[in-house]
Amino acid sequence: MNALPRLTVIGTGYLGATHAICMAVMGYEVIGVDVDPDKVARLNSGEVPFFEPGLPELLAKALETGRLSFTTSFAEAGEFGDVHFICVGTPQMAGSEAADMTYVDAAVTALAAHLHRRALVVGKSTVPVGTAARLAELLRTAAPAGDRIELAWNPEFLREGYAVDDTMKPDRLVFGVTSAWSEERLRAVFAPVLAQGVPVKVTDLQTAELVKVAANSFLATKISYINAMAEVCEATGADVHDLAEALAYDERIGGKFLRPGLGFGGGCLPKDIRAFAHRAEELGVGQAVGFLREIDGINGRRRARTVDLVVELCGGDVAGKKIAALGAAFKPNSDDIRDAPALDVASTLAGMGADVYVFDPAAMANARKAHPELNYGTGALDVARDADVVVLLTEWTEFRKIAPEAMAEVVRAQRIFDGRHVLDPAVWRAAGWEYKALGRP
Ligand code: UGA
């Protein structure tokens, strides 16, 4: 008998596709399920539908083993799987700060109808605390196998851009379980990961759900903390870049996620802190995490301040000015533009009458679709041609490496705004540029 449990992964976005591919590479038989037939066809033909370094190579490898396939059929998944992972999205609900649970509920309901034998369903999506208990009940009542279906929670901490490494060798695994059997199943599923010495924390369901939102809230808080210091620096002439470096030497503080700049975006941190604050209010403990609204506020003010400084660089009015926007993705090594600070700033400037030309190494197609009002170019120097100001918004390596002399040859005026603190002000100023950054004199 094959001892390895057979896996299904419901939802093949950033999280699910990566999980399915990595598990297949690690030796498991995996079926990935998605309601989008186009995505399923692309994955089956070896194409990763989003930008993630290293993942296309791994998909090819996994497909070659014959252990991985993708389908739209929940019946097939129910029949096949011993352990089913729920990896669908929980975006912010329109008109509310709460998480939209439509996709999770639909996925679990669709799967439940096809669960005829003992199986474990494992939630990975980021959800409001209390969701797992509700879903466990849903499975018990809706699945033909009834009580023989158990639910566990296994939050995912992968970062876009590092998804493969974070999946193959995460900092830790969290198993939220209600029985020894569930824990044993999860240990079997993650045996190759655990064998590398990755620590595992076994908890109840609600603690596992909370670990995820608590982690993302902490990361967002750290970023906004240093960005709050940037605001104080701006009022005093101090330099937040030096301040952050000096703080980072204290091991208790540490330098990670203490990089000041335009702040956080993406499909996770912004909506997760809002959903957490919302859920805490529902639970009557809103005050405990009320500070998360301030974290969100600080983050939003960085975008507004960036716009103000660009306007200032343009002499008080951007109408009719040509602005080169370097970056669109919410961070480098990603084509994800969800809640991207870069595009927020670019579209605000365009709304003020500026001619904004955007270039991003990976996110052009997504940016074009979401912001047809912006202009798009073919490279950093291309969009900088005749620009009145250059604005660096996403810290791609190729932007860090731009030579100030080369850029000086194409622009109309040598003014640069470094939204991510990645250029050396001394070097740029020596080359004749007016250099501005958030929180720096
Ligand atoms: C984040 C978490 O880091 C992951 O652990 C988590 O699994 C994931 O959300 C999720 O919930 O799925 P991700 O959204 O991929 O991952 O991006 P991060 O690397 O965390 O960056 C988030 C934002 O913070 C970016 O816009 C980045 O530019 C910004 N940031 C990051 C800063 O402004 N300063 C920093 O020092 C660090």
Side-chain angles (χ1 to χ4, degrees):
M1 201 183 94
N2 187 353
L4 292 183
R6 299 204 295 185
L7 315 180
T8 82
V9 177
I10 319 288
T12 59
Y14 288 98
L15 165 58
T18 307
H19 185 59
I21 294 166
C22 289
M23 295 313 285
V25 168
M26 285 193 263
Y28 294 84
E29 285 181 71
V30 185
I31 290 185
V33 186
D34 205 287
V35 293
D36 180 347
D38 177 52
K39 218 185 252 178
V40 165
R42 287 166 77 179
L43 285 161
N44 274 328
S45 72
E47 187 195 334
V48 176
F50 49 86
F51 180 90
E52 182 61 45
L55 201 56
E57 294 80 355
L58 277 195
L59 173 59
K61 196 168 152 189
L63 290 172
E64 218 170 275
T65 65
R67 288 194 293 264
L68 177 66
S69 65
F70 296 89
T71 180
T72 54
S73 167
F74 280 88
E76 198 183 320
E79 168 70 24
F80 175 85
D82 301 309
V83 178
H84 305 273
F85 286 95
I86 306 297
C87 296
V88 295
T90 53
Q92 188 172 335
M93 204 191 278
S96 161
E97 298 208 308
D100 183 350
M101 298 305 293
T102 314
Y103 307 107
V104 170
D105 290 358
V108 172
T109 306
L111 177 67
H114 301 285
L115 297 177
H116 295 278
R117 60 186 159 86
R118 191 168 195 197
L120 180 67
V121 176
V122 184
K124 265 193 172 299
S125 308
T126 303
V127 295
V129 58
T131 300
R134 183 172 64 74
L135 295 177
E137 187 51 34
L138 192 157
L139 284 163
R140 254 192 300 277
T141 49
D147 280 349
R148 285 176 301 150
I149 304 302
E150 283 192 30
L151 182 85
W153 214 260
N154 166 232
E156 177 57 60
F157 304 102
L158 69 81
R159 297 159 298 166
E160 287 175 23
Y162 302 91
V164 172
D165 284 351
D166 286 352
T167 304
M168 298 292 213
K169 197 173 188 319
D171 295 336
R172 76 298 208 185
L173 288 168
V174 175
F175 296 165
V177 293
T178 54
S179 77
W181 180 77
S182 295
E183 181 183 338
E184 174 276 312
R185 292 268 81 184
L186 282 170
R187 285 187 185 274
V189 169
F190 289 103
V193 176
L194 294 170
Q196 301 174 77
V198 169
V200 59
K201 184 73 198 163
V202 180
T203 70
D204 53 34
L205 294 176
Q206 57 274 37
T207 304
E209 290 170 308
L210 273 174
V211 172
K212 173 64 195 228
V213 283
N216 275 2
S217 297
F218 190 85
L219 295 171
T221 301
K222 222 177 155 189
I223 299 168
S224 274
Y225 178 82
I226 198 64
N227 283 335
M229 295 305 110
E231 290 190 34
V232 178
C233 287
E234 279 154 21
T236 57
D239 188 328
V240 72
H241 192 82
D242 294 344
L243 174 74
E245 277 184 9
L247 289 178
Y249 285 113
D250 186 331
E251 280 179 9
R252 295 168 302 173
I253 298 174
K256 288 182 182 158
F257 275 70
L258 205 66
R259 284 183 285 109
L262 189 44
F264 58 82
C268 303
L269 263 44
K271 63 102 178 160
D272 286 353
I273 59 172
R274 291 172 201 148
F276 190 18
H278 182 92
R279 181 67 182 136
E281 275 157 19
E282 285 178 350
L283 293 166
V285 285
Q287 213 176 13
V289 294
F291 68 91
L292 291 177
R293 297 206 191 279
E294 196 52 48
I295 297 307
D296 204 9
I298 294 165
N299 196 50
R301 288 205 295 276
R302 289 293 80 188
R303 301 179 186 193
R305 176 76 179 152
T306 295
V307 170
D308 288 349
L309 288 174
V310 174
V311 172
E312 209 176 279
L313 268 174
C314 286
D317 189 6
V318 291
K321 295 279 163 60
K322 180 171 174 189
I323 295 176
L326 305 186
F330 84 103
K331 67 172 189 181
N333 295 317
S334 171
D335 66 352
D336 195 344
I337 56 154
R338 286 176 291 172
D339 206 340
L343 282 174
D344 201 354
V345 167
S347 67
T348 303
L349 289 166
M352 296 166 93
D355 270 332
V356 182
Y357 283 74
V358 180
F359 174 71
D360 187 283
M364 295 296 270
N366 288 339
R368 263 202 190 95
K369 231 180 284 164
H371 289 278
E373 81 280 12
L374 300 171
N375 307 293
Y376 294 91
T378 56
L381 292 183
D382 176 52
V383 292
R385 194 165 306 283
D386 298 325
D388 294 289
V389 56
V390 178
V391 187
L392 193 160
L393 299 167
T394 310
E395 68 277 32
W396 285 93
T397 305
E398 68 173 79
F399 298 155
R400 294 167 182 254
K401 288 189 190 151
I402 292 170
E405 298 78 16
M407 186 73 101
E409 277 178 26
V410 299
V411 295
R412 180 176 302 146
Q414 283 180 258
R415 304 185 191 112
I416 187 147
F417 179 82
D418 179 5
R420 296 292 182 178
H421 289 206
V422 290
L423 306 176
D424 184 340
V427 171
W428 282 75
R429 284 181 180 136
W433 287 78
E434 186 179 350
Y435 171 98
K436 257 196 200 308
L438 293 160
R440 308 193 81 173

